[in-house]
């Protein structure tokens, strides 16, 4: 009499998982309970199957739903490209402004040309800063709205 044969005669794993889920008829259930009472290896198997099933059930709540995955997939690239775009614009504008200021300061132009260049660049820089602050404000606003929804 080997260890596995009497177990396989009593039930297979599919029946055992049905027993764990409470889906069996009373006759099947009693047959398994009789065998589990006298077979330690099947009790161990049944306990580990129950543990796996419980773990799968509890992690199902932690895993994001399809809706949440779609939300992440849709907004993440958009957010990244938007931030990268702003970073490029700011870096290029700053570099261009710096070069222009350097050129203006070092050039032999009359003082009023330098004042004009500084004034225009300063104004553009301020406009830029205000737009950027509006953007940052909008983003914070969006995030709060999303949380409250
Ligand atoms: Zn057994």
């Amino acid at each position: 009499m080997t260890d596995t044969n009497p177990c396989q005669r009593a039930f297979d794993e599919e029946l055992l998982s049905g027993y764990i889920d409470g889906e069996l008829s009373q006759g099947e259930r009693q047959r398994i309970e009789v065998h589990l009472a006298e077979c330690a290896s099947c009790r161990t198997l049944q306990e580990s199957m129950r543990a796996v099933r419980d773990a799968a059930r509890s992690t199902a709540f932690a895993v994001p739903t399809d809706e949440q995955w779609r939300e992440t997939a849709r907004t993440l690239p958009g957010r990244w490209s938007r931030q990268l775009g702003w970073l490029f614009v700011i870096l290029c504008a700053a570099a261009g402004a710096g070069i222009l200021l350097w050129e203006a300061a070092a050039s032999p132009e009359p003082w009023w040309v330098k004042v004009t260049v500084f004034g225009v660049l300063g104004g553009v820089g301020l406009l830029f800063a205000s737009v950027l602050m509006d953007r940052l404000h909008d983003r914070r606003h969006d995030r709060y709205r999303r949380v409250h929804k």
Side-chain angles (χ1 to χ4, degrees):
M1 190 165 163
T2 67
D3 206 21
T4 52
N5 273 342
C7 301
Q8 279 171 352
R9 224 178 297 135
F11 54 82
D12 58 17
E13 278 191 28
E14 207 174 324
L15 204 61
L16 190 58
S17 78
Y19 168 74
I20 290 168
D21 290 332
E23 293 166 347
L24 300 185
S25 69
Q26 195 172 349
E28 288 171 319
R29 204 167 62 232
Q30 277 172 351
R31 187 157 56 108
I32 287 176
E33 276 166 358
V34 165
H35 181 79
L36 285 179
E38 60 191 21
C39 178
S41 69
C42 282
R43 268 205 306 278
T44 306
L45 176 66
Q46 181 254 357
E47 275 160 17
S48 64
M49 283 174 75
R50 199 184 283 273
V52 166
R53 189 204 59 169
D54 288 349
R57 280 198 180 169
S58 60
T59 53
F61 289 107
V63 169
T65 62
D66 283 351
E67 193 63 38
Q68 286 169 316
W69 278 120
R70 265 199 300 278
E71 179 73 11
T72 306
R74 200 184 63 226
T75 56
L76 250 189
R79 208 155 51 212
W80 271 99
S81 56
R82 215 166 28 232
Q83 278 171 355
L84 267 181
W86 273 104
L87 191 65
F88 270 115
V89 167
I90 290 165
L91 282 180
C92 291
I99 290 168
L100 266 179
L101 286 176
W102 181 265
E103 290 280 316
S107 71
E109 305 288 345
W111 63 269
W112 56 269
V113 172
K114 295 183 188 181
V115 167
T116 305
V117 170
F118 275 82
V120 168
L121 284 180
V124 168
L126 279 176
L127 287 175
F128 227 110
S130 75
V131 169
L132 188 67
M133 282 187 283
D134 278 348
R135 282 275 155 160
L136 286 173
H137 178 79
D138 282 347
R139 243 178 46 203
R140 262 201 302 275
H141 205 68
D142 282 351
R143 200 178 301 149
Y144 284 142
R145 210 157 44 208
R146 215 174 294 137
V147 167
H148 284 305
K149 204 155 45 178

PDB file of all heavy atoms in Angstrom, residues 94-107:
ATOM      1  N   ALA A  94      15.766  79.920 -20.775  1.00  0.00           N
ATOM      2  CA  ALA A  94      16.775  80.434 -19.856  1.00  0.00           C
ATOM      3  C   ALA A  94      18.123  80.548 -20.566  1.00  0.00           C
ATOM      4  O   ALA A  94      18.841  81.546 -20.417  1.00  0.00           O
ATOM      5  CB  ALA A  94      16.886  79.520 -18.629  1.00  0.00           C
ATOM      6  N   ALA A  95      18.460  79.526 -21.363  1.00  0.00           N
ATOM      7  CA  ALA A  95      19.737  79.554 -22.078  1.00  0.00           C
ATOM      8  C   ALA A  95      19.757  80.708 -23.079  1.00  0.00           C
ATOM      9  O   ALA A  95      20.738  81.469 -23.153  1.00  0.00           O
ATOM     10  CB  ALA A  95      19.952  78.220 -22.795  1.00  0.00           C
ATOM     11  N   GLY A  96      18.650  80.833 -23.834  1.00  0.00           N
ATOM     12  CA  GLY A  96      18.581  81.915 -24.819  1.00  0.00           C
ATOM     13  C   GLY A  96      18.653  83.274 -24.147  1.00  0.00           C
ATOM     14  O   GLY A  96      19.376  84.168 -24.597  1.00  0.00           O
ATOM     15  N   ALA A  97      17.940  83.442 -23.039  1.00  0.00           N
ATOM     16  CA  ALA A  97      17.941  84.719 -22.327  1.00  0.00           C
ATOM     17  C   ALA A  97      19.332  85.017 -21.791  1.00  0.00           C
ATOM     18  O   ALA A  97      19.813  86.151 -21.877  1.00  0.00           O
ATOM     19  CB  ALA A  97      16.920  84.674 -21.179  1.00  0.00           C
ATOM     20  N   GLY A  98      19.987  83.983 -21.264  1.00  0.00           N
ATOM     21  CA  GLY A  98      21.326  84.171 -20.718  1.00  0.00           C
ATOM     22  C   GLY A  98      22.298  84.620 -21.798  1.00  0.00           C
ATOM     23  O   GLY A  98      23.086  85.557 -21.589  1.00  0.00           O
ATOM     24  N   ILE A  99      22.228  83.961 -22.979  1.00  0.00           N
ATOM     25  CA  ILE A  99      23.139  84.320 -24.080  1.00  0.00           C
ATOM     26  C   ILE A  99      22.862  85.749 -24.545  1.00  0.00           C
ATOM     27  O   ILE A  99      23.782  86.553 -24.759  1.00  0.00           O
ATOM     28  CB  ILE A  99      22.976  83.328 -25.248  1.00  0.00           C
ATOM     29  CG1 ILE A  99      23.543  81.968 -24.845  1.00  0.00           C
ATOM     30  CG2 ILE A  99      23.686  83.839 -26.496  1.00  0.00           C
ATOM     31  CD1 ILE A  99      23.177  80.841 -25.785  1.00  0.00           C
ATOM     32  N   LEU A 100      21.565  86.079 -24.677  1.00  0.00           N
ATOM     33  CA  LEU A 100      21.203  87.430 -25.124  1.00  0.00           C
ATOM     34  C   LEU A 100      21.696  88.482 -24.128  1.00  0.00           C
ATOM     35  O   LEU A 100      22.254  89.513 -24.516  1.00  0.00           O
ATOM     36  CB  LEU A 100      19.682  87.536 -25.281  1.00  0.00           C
ATOM     37  CG  LEU A 100      19.127  87.267 -26.680  1.00  0.00           C
ATOM     38  CD1 LEU A 100      17.612  87.376 -26.674  1.00  0.00           C
ATOM     39  CD2 LEU A 100      19.725  88.254 -27.682  1.00  0.00           C
ATOM     40  N   LEU A 101      21.506  88.208 -22.831  1.00  0.00           N
ATOM     41  CA  LEU A 101      21.944  89.168 -21.812  1.00  0.00           C
ATOM     42  C   LEU A 101      23.453  89.333 -21.860  1.00  0.00           C
ATOM     43  O   LEU A 101      23.984  90.436 -21.761  1.00  0.00           O
ATOM     44  CB  LEU A 101      21.500  88.688 -20.421  1.00  0.00           C
ATOM     45  CG  LEU A 101      20.010  88.842 -20.109  1.00  0.00           C
ATOM     46  CD1 LEU A 101      19.686  88.242 -18.749  1.00  0.00           C
ATOM     47  CD2 LEU A 101      19.596  90.303 -20.161  1.00  0.00           C
ATOM     48  N   TRP A 102      24.150  88.212 -22.015  1.00  0.00           N
ATOM     49  CA  TRP A 102      25.616  88.236 -22.091  1.00  0.00           C
ATOM     50  C   TRP A 102      26.068  89.070 -23.285  1.00  0.00           C
ATOM     51  O   TRP A 102      26.942  89.941 -23.160  1.00  0.00           O
ATOM     52  CB  TRP A 102      26.120  86.797 -22.199  1.00  0.00           C
ATOM     53  CG  TRP A 102      27.618  86.695 -22.252  1.00  0.00           C
ATOM     54  CD1 TRP A 102      28.392  86.614 -23.364  1.00  0.00           C
ATOM     55  CD2 TRP A 102      28.515  86.687 -21.139  1.00  0.00           C
ATOM     56  NE1 TRP A 102      29.714  86.539 -23.028  1.00  0.00           N
ATOM     57  CE2 TRP A 102      29.817  86.587 -21.653  1.00  0.00           C
ATOM     58  CE3 TRP A 102      28.325  86.749 -19.742  1.00  0.00           C
ATOM     59  CZ2 TRP A 102      30.935  86.548 -20.843  1.00  0.00           C
ATOM     60  CZ3 TRP A 102      29.442  86.701 -18.933  1.00  0.00           C
ATOM     61  CH2 TRP A 102      30.727  86.615 -19.494  1.00  0.00           C
ATOM     62  N   GLU A 103      25.425  88.789 -24.434  1.00  0.00           N
ATOM     63  CA  GLU A 103      25.759  89.522 -25.659  1.00  0.00           C
ATOM     64  C   GLU A 103      25.486  91.018 -25.482  1.00  0.00           C
ATOM     65  O   GLU A 103      26.305  91.859 -25.859  1.00  0.00           O
ATOM     66  CB  GLU A 103      24.922  88.991 -26.825  1.00  0.00           C
ATOM     67  CG  GLU A 103      25.315  87.587 -27.282  1.00  0.00           C
ATOM     68  CD  GLU A 103      26.542  87.618 -28.182  1.00  0.00           C
ATOM     69  OE1 GLU A 103      26.601  88.491 -29.061  1.00  0.00           O
ATOM     70  OE2 GLU A 103      27.429  86.782 -27.977  1.00  0.00           O
ATOM     71  N   ALA A 104      24.312  91.325 -24.884  1.00  0.00           N
ATOM     72  CA  ALA A 104      23.926  92.728 -24.733  1.00  0.00           C
ATOM     73  C   ALA A 104      24.881  93.452 -23.795  1.00  0.00           C
ATOM     74  O   ALA A 104      25.294  94.593 -24.060  1.00  0.00           O
ATOM     75  CB  ALA A 104      22.488  92.815 -24.209  1.00  0.00           C
ATOM     76  N   ALA A 105      25.240  92.750 -22.706  1.00  0.00           N
ATOM     77  CA  ALA A 105      26.118  93.392 -21.725  1.00  0.00           C
ATOM     78  C   ALA A 105      27.509  93.609 -22.309  1.00  0.00           C
ATOM     79  O   ALA A 105      28.177  94.608 -21.998  1.00  0.00           O
ATOM     80  CB  ALA A 105      26.184  92.542 -20.458  1.00  0.00           C
ATOM     81  N   ALA A 106      27.965  92.662 -23.164  1.00  0.00           N
ATOM     82  CA  ALA A 106      29.326  92.729 -23.690  1.00  0.00           C
ATOM     83  C   ALA A 106      29.411  93.559 -24.971  1.00  0.00           C
ATOM     84  O   ALA A 106      30.500  93.899 -25.413  1.00  0.00           O
ATOM     85  CB  ALA A 106      29.834  91.312 -23.959  1.00  0.00           C
ATOM     86  N   SER A 107      28.242  93.874 -25.555  1.00  0.00           N
ATOM     87  CA  SER A 107      28.255  94.554 -26.851  1.00  0.00           C
ATOM     88  C   SER A 107      28.573  96.038 -26.681  1.00  0.00           C
ATOM     89  O   SER A 107      28.340  96.604 -25.603  1.00  0.00           O
ATOM     90  CB  SER A 107      26.888  94.395 -27.526  1.00  0.00           C
ATOM     91  OG  SER A 107      25.940  95.179 -26.842  1.00  0.00           O
TER      92      SER A 107
END
